[in-house]
Amino acid sequence: MSGLGRASRKAIKGVLRRFPAGLKLADGVLDGAVRLILAPQVDIPPAAKTHDPKDLAARTDSLNEAAEGYFSDYPYQEFILNKPYSDPLGFPQHLFNLGVLFHWLRLSPGDVVAELGAGTAWVSHFLNLYGCRTIAIDVSSTALDLAKELFERDRRTRWDLEPRFLPYDGRRFPLEDASCDRIVVHDAFHHIPNQHEILSEMARVLRPGGVVAMVEPGRQHSLTADSRKEMEETGVLENDIVVEDLAEVARESGFTKTTVVPVSLAATMEVPARDLTSFLKGKGFRPYWSKLSSNLLAGHYILMYKGDYRPTTRRPERLEAKIEILEPQLGAKGLTGKVGEETRVRCRISNRGDTVWLGESAGRPGCTRIGGHLYRGDEPKALDYDWYRGLFEEAIEPGEVIDRELVFPAILEPGPYRVVLDMVAEGVLWFAQKGSPTLEFHFEVSSNS
């Protein structure tokens, strides 16, 4: 019966794929059924609305002074200098946050990344070691002095990347328009009183296609005992983030899209190994969903986009190239050449993915070239894995097709060879690693005698 069930499901899926409208209808019916089951399990608390946005904006200067006092009066500066390592209970969460934020920022070395509300800039230090040009921004000059000390303590710090530490007045960043590729905010935006003004600044300094990623508490954060204590003792603002409201303010400030990444470390759970397939089919899913939804309301990973994000070969998404030899035509025996002579071929290359292939002028990493691996006959190990590189000065857009002449280097010994052509994003990956097809052919090299 189980085999018949699998066969029946496979047959139904095959029919539905042939009729996209039917597949969409089936998805809609399934989605509706799931919502009927899960909706009663989710309790959506009202937004706390502890603070009035207009009142907070009017108090911007005094709240910024409280932020400076927080760092200048902090009694355990070694603790904050050693974050995230000095926080034994929060350490896993901090690293999880970085993984989510860095993944969705689609970072690559060389990016200019501003960290807003940087504090001691330990997040920026991670990015500096990764190879990004960092700009730590904070209203507290004391915090930024500590940030510089943190960078100076680590002999691995990449000073060649010229990390910057910029105090600001809580209203305008001392940065030029369109000067940053990305902005990261780690648990700091809910401390900002004039959010509309600051979001407009973030949009101003981002380049077109730029992304903001932040991790922030949810809609009742200000009501917790820890938040109330913090506000009473330090005067620092502890506010709530209601993502629906934030999305509207972001749109008014110049962002085109705001999304939320629904993941939570606190909601992860263990499943007995023998029950994994049963869990994937729904066993025990209700309590998991209840736990996940409550944690997703308590904290958010938020992304904001300025214009359309376009993946490039510095951080590719779907890579698919079609490589064809136009002339000479590849016969049954492949290509022929002479010992000691270059071999010229004309090829056609098509970008069939969704990623822009950066040209040579973009520099490493990510500049795209056509590359060739050379093998001796049918031997599995490459004779020269980096045997050939063909350059492209300009970027190649998705859907674009180009013709190029390739000049293969001279081979000094006669015999049967094998060539595998693939595209390569230098310093990132070969396209085949992402499933892109290669072009493989035999190459018979004969002596001149």
Side-chain angles (χ1 to χ4, degrees), residues 50 221-236 238:
T50 303
H221 173 72
S222 64
L223 301 181
T224 65
D226 286 344
S227 292
R228 289 177 173 175
K229 181 180 179 182
E230 190 78 1
M231 286 188 285
E232 290 173 1
E233 293 183 354
T234 69
V236 171
E238 294 288 350

Side-chain angles (χ1 to χ4, degrees), residues 23-37:
L23 182 59
K24 186 175 181 180
L25 177 61
D27 285 343
V29 171
L30 179 61
D31 181 70
V34 171
R35 292 174 66 184
L36 283 174
I37 296 170

Side-chain angles (χ1 to χ4, degrees), residues 128 132-135 151 158-165:
N128 168 269
C132 294
R133 296 186 175 275
T134 58
I135 307 171
F151 274 60
R158 295 281 306 277
W159 294 107
D160 59 302
L161 296 172
E162 301 178 341
R164 301 170 68 187
F165 307 89

Side-chain angles (χ1 to χ4, degrees), residues 74-367:
Y74 198 85
Y76 309 109
Q77 292 197 344
E78 280 299 315
F79 175 85
I80 56 177
L81 266 174
N82 287 320
K83 287 183 69 176
Y85 310 104
S86 57
D87 184 3
L89 295 181
F91 179 72
Q93 183 67 63
H94 293 316
L95 294 191
F96 186 85
N97 290 347
L98 295 191
V100 176
L101 296 177
F102 293 173
H103 173 78
W104 285 100
L105 280 172
R106 291 91 161 181
L107 291 168
S108 63
D111 285 343
V112 177
V113 184
E115 182 189 0
L116 177 61
T120 58
W122 60 269
V123 174
S124 288
H125 193 246
F126 269 89
L127 292 170
N128 168 269
L129 295 180
Y130 176 62
C132 294
R133 296 186 175 275
T134 58
I135 307 171
I137 304 173
D138 205 287
V139 294
S140 171
S141 57
T142 298
L144 294 177
D145 287 341
L146 291 169
K148 294 175 188 176
E149 183 177 346
L150 184 150
F151 274 60
E152 290 165 353
R153 286 185 178 189
D154 194 333
R155 60 184 179 83
R156 301 169 301 164
T157 293
R158 295 281 306 277
W159 294 107
D160 59 302
L161 296 172
E162 301 178 341
R164 301 170 68 187
F165 307 89
L166 294 184
Y168 82 115
D169 61 3
R171 299 183 183 279
R172 185 173 176 84
F173 304 152
L175 292 170
E176 296 181 358
D177 296 356
S179 55
C180 299
D181 298 303
R182 303 287 188 266
I183 297 176
V184 63
V185 189
H186 187 278
D187 201 29
F189 195 76
H190 69 286
H191 295 309
I192 293 175
N194 52 334
Q195 294 184 355
H196 197 306
E197 188 174 18
I198 296 305
L199 283 172
S200 296
E201 276 295 279
M202 294 163 76
R204 179 183 68 81
V205 303
L206 269 181
R207 296 188 176 110
V211 185
V212 175
M214 58 175 72
V215 54
E216 296 295 332
R219 56 180 60 208
Q220 292 200 330
H221 173 72
S222 64
L223 301 181
T224 65
D226 286 344
S227 292
R228 289 177 173 175
K229 181 180 179 182
E230 190 78 1
M231 286 188 285
E232 290 173 1
E233 293 183 354
T234 69
V236 171
L237 174 63
E238 294 288 350
N239 205 351
D240 313 290
I241 297 296
V242 180
V243 291
E244 296 87 347
D245 297 344
L246 180 65
E248 180 59 26
V249 178
R251 184 190 63 79
E252 295 171 356
S253 302
F255 290 94
T256 53
K257 182 175 68 172
T258 299
T259 62
V260 176
V261 180
V263 294
S264 170
L265 177 63
T268 55
M269 60 182 294
E270 294 178 278
V271 175
R274 64 179 180 277
D275 294 337
L276 176 60
T277 54
S278 298
F279 175 78
L280 295 177
K281 293 179 181 179
K283 180 182 178 181
F285 186 78
R286 188 202 61 77
Y288 167 73
W289 180 255
S290 179
K291 184 178 181 182
L292 176 64
S293 59
S294 63
N295 280 281
L296 291 179
L297 290 168
H300 309 294
Y301 298 98
I302 304 165
L303 306 174
M304 292 181 288
Y305 296 85
K306 180 182 177 180
D308 294 327
Y309 169 75
R310 303 181 69 207
T312 72
T313 41
R314 282 186 178 153
R315 187 64 187 267
E317 293 190 3
R318 186 167 61 85
L319 289 174
E320 183 179 348
K322 182 178 181 181
I323 305 172
E324 305 169 88
I325 299 293
L326 300 180
E327 53 182 280
Q329 292 186 350
L330 294 177
K333 295 184 178 180
L335 191 67
T336 59
K338 294 288 187 179
V339 165
E341 296 181 4
E342 295 176 338
T343 303
R344 296 177 179 269
V345 301
R346 189 157 188 83
C347 74
R348 176 164 293 163
I349 304 169
S350 307
N351 183 348
R352 294 187 168 188
D354 64 357
T355 296
V356 179
W357 302 353
L358 297 176
E360 188 73 15
S361 58
R364 290 174 63 99
C367 66

